[in-house]
Amino acid sequence: MVTFINQLTVTGPVEEFEAISARLSEFMSAQPGYLSHRLLRSLRRPNVFVEIAEWQEAAAHQAAVRTDDFQALIRE
């Protein structure tokens, strides 16, 4: 198992980010090798989030982020 941890700073509307993040999570949860995902929001800095994702192996995550569907989602 591998764990990916990303800190994200939102520069636009937080509500828009959350909606896009929900679509990304839905897509990723359907990918082979996906185990779990959490999105945490800072209380002190409400535009800062920490994303924690667990995958069976790094190669499965890499395959998921290389798909055209994922690339279209992150362009949003």
Side-chain angles (χ1 to χ4, degrees):
M1 179 175 67
V2 295
T3 302
F4 295 92
I5 301 171
N6 298 305
Q7 179 177 315
L8 308 163
T9 302
V10 178
T11 58
V14 169
E15 298 79 14
E16 185 177 327
F17 166 78
E18 290 174 325
I20 293 167
S21 180
R23 290 195 298 277
L24 281 167
S25 295
E26 182 179 342
F27 170 81
M28 293 302 255
S29 67
Q31 302 308 301
Y34 171 89
L35 297 174
S36 69
H37 172 264
R38 292 179 65 193
L39 185 64
L40 309 171
R41 187 175 186 181
S42 172
L43 289 175
R44 285 183 279 155
R45 296 171 44 207
N47 65 323
V48 175
F49 293 78
V50 174
E51 172 189 50
I52 303 168
E54 294 181 328
W55 289 76
Q56 289 176 347
E57 58 188 16
H61 178 265
Q62 291 168 356
V65 299
R66 288 187 186 128
T67 65
D68 291 339
D69 290 339
F70 179 83
Q71 293 298 317
L73 285 169
I74 62 169
R75 278 193 289 275
E76 289 185 42

